Structures are given as structure tokens and as C-alpha cells.
Amino acid sequence: PREEVNGFFVAGFGKPSEDSEFTWPRDLRQTLQQQYHYKIDCYLREYQGANVDPADTMKNFSRDIIEVEKIRTRAMVDLLDRERFDFAMLTFTMTDRGAHHFFGPMVHKDPVVGHTLLDIYKAVDTGIAEIVQRADEQTTVLVVSDHGTCEFTRVFFLNNWLQQEGYLCDARSEADKHGVSWKKRLKILAVIAARTLMPKPIRELIKSRNAGLRQQLHKDLGASPILWNQTRAFAEHLSGNVFLNTRGVFGQGIVEPGDEYNRLAEEIRQKLAAV
């Protein structure tokens, strides 16, 4: 959330909506929206629809994701020209959004949007240049990235592994643990068939017309509820982070801070390193 600072603050990823109070001072929001048509973030779902061609979805998303960074740069440069700052920081978010959706098309040389990720980096590179030009010899400039990117080819499900190793306990019955219902098996087979047998244009059409289908499948095929009072460690989705269910940190924490925490963390670290 935006903070009341001695200067300017514009919130980013995670803000409630474009209509929320995402700037300090408050009137900065009106300036950004009216003067620059400022947009905080860009999501593919905003461009999808039952009557929208999947190719048009990707082209429109590709166009706007680049425009977001150009607008962001213009607003930042104008503020730098207007004010003197002890500290100034700008986050370019669209390299992340772009990599999620356009890394694969780039690798596989998609004729429509295979160039998008490179175009995003060119826009960001131009923006960085404009900002750095405004730095004098007394200014320290840092350019940092929070992570890289690559194409997904395999996934390691940490919670499955943690359960197999006895660190995580779920609420399934013993019968469920040794078998999957026919209903779930059919859904799994349907997903596999859709990914491997259907031509790409048909897959994209189905996805665009069934926006909630993926979430429902994830829910149906997802893990059972966790028994927290018997769970010492768990992972959050596919982020790669393992959390220890620590007493005083989580509501039903059972791992004692200090020696027990440190021993358990090192034990899990060594086991994962050996996988």
C-alpha cells in the first residue's frame, strides 16, 4: 500500500484497483491518470473473452504491455526533471509479465508475438537510459533484478515430497491415499488429452471461452486440506520456498523457534540437495 512519505509514492503490484488510493500525495493519482493515462499493471485475463480471437488477445496484450513501461518512464522522467530527490526508485514490472507469457513464443519463434519479449526489454532499456541521463556524478545508480526466467519443462511438487518424507500431513483417508477416484482420473486424462492431442488454435479457443476452467481443474485436482497440527513444513505453490510451521508465526505452528527450527531447516535442506 502507498505510504505517506516526504516525497512521492506510487503503489504497484497488489493494489486493490485503479480507483483505490494508490499514490501519495493523493492528487498525484489524478495527475498520473489524466496526464499519462497511467496503468499500474497489465494482465492477460483483461484481454480474454468468449468472443475474442486468441491471436488478437495476444497481439493486444503485447501492444499494451510495452506501452505501460513507456508511460511509466515518462511519468518518472517528468518527476525527476521537476523535483530534487535524495532517493528515487522505479520498478519495471512488464519484464516479468512479458516473460511469463512471451518467453515460450520467443524460443519457438512464434510469427505473431515471438518478438514481444525483446521489444519489452528494448522499451525498458530505453527507459533506463533516460533515467540514468538525469543522474549526476554524485548519484549512485543501481540496476537490479529480483529473478531470471526460463521455459518450464518440468515441475517438482514440494508438498508431495514433504508429505512423502513425513514433514507434511494431509486430511485424506488411507483409502484415498492409495487410489484416485474415477472422476478425478477422467479429468486428469481430459487435461492430458487437451494438452497433447488438440491443435494449438483449438486449445487457445477453449481457454479463451472457459476462463474459469483452469482454476476449477486446479481446485478439483489439487492437494487435500493440510492437517496443520501434524505438519512441520509446507511449500507455497511453485515458488520454491519451504516454510517451517513455526509456533508463534503461524496460527497452528508446532515447530519451536531456535534449535528445533534450525535442525529441521538443515535436515530438509540436505535432503532436498540430495534429490
Side-chain angles (χ1 to χ4, degrees), residues 43 78 122 133 191 223 243 246:
Y43 296 103
D78 286 352
K122 287 178 179 178
Q133 286 171 5
V191 172
F243 297 90
T246 313

Side-chain angles (χ1 to χ4, degrees), residues 4 9 24 39 41 53 69 73 75 77 98 103 114 138 142 163 176 191 213-214 218 236 244 250 257 271-272:
E4 298 180 10
F9 194 108
W24 180 263
K39 186 175 174 64
D41 222 321
D53 183 85
E69 296 300 32
T73 298
V77 166
F103 192 90
Q138 302 302 312
L142 302 177
Q163 184 182 347
D176 287 339
V191 172
L213 180 62
R214 190 173 185 177
H218 278 219
E236 182 185 33
L244 301 190
F250 297 103
K271 283 187 177 181
L272 279 171

Side-chain angles (χ1 to χ4, degrees), residues 145-163:
S145 173
D146 62 334
H147 61 79
T149 191
C150 65
E151 190 174 21
F152 256 66
T153 56
R154 296 171 63 191
V155 176
F156 183 80
F157 290 99
L158 275 165
N159 278 333
N160 288 18
W161 181 87
L162 288 167
Q163 184 182 347

Side-chain angles (χ1 to χ4, degrees), residues 39-56:
K39 186 175 174 64
I40 287 184
D41 222 321
C42 215
Y43 296 103
L44 182 63
R45 62 177 178 267
E46 298 169 349
Y47 298 82
Q48 295 172 321
N51 300 313
V52 181
D53 183 85
D56 290 337

Side-chain angles (χ1 to χ4, degrees), residues 219-234:
K219 182 180 177 182
D220 290 342
L221 302 174
S224 298
I226 292 174
L227 294 175
W228 293 108
N229 61 356
Q230 299 175 46
T231 291
R232 292 183 293 161
F234 62 95

Side-chain angles (χ1 to χ4, degrees), residues 159-173:
N159 278 333
N160 288 18
W161 181 87
L162 288 167
Q163 184 182 347
Q164 291 167 12
E165 295 295 318
Y167 299 111
L168 181 149
C169 185
D170 72 19
R172 289 183 297 172
S173 68

Side-chain angles (χ1 to χ4, degrees), residues 57-75:
T57 291
M58 296 307 288
K59 282 191 290 186
N60 294 335
F61 182 54
S62 171
R63 177 199 65 220
D64 286 0
I65 209 171
I66 295 168
E67 187 62 22
V68 163
E69 296 300 32
K70 291 180 178 178
I71 290 171
R72 192 171 307 200
T73 298
R74 285 200 295 272

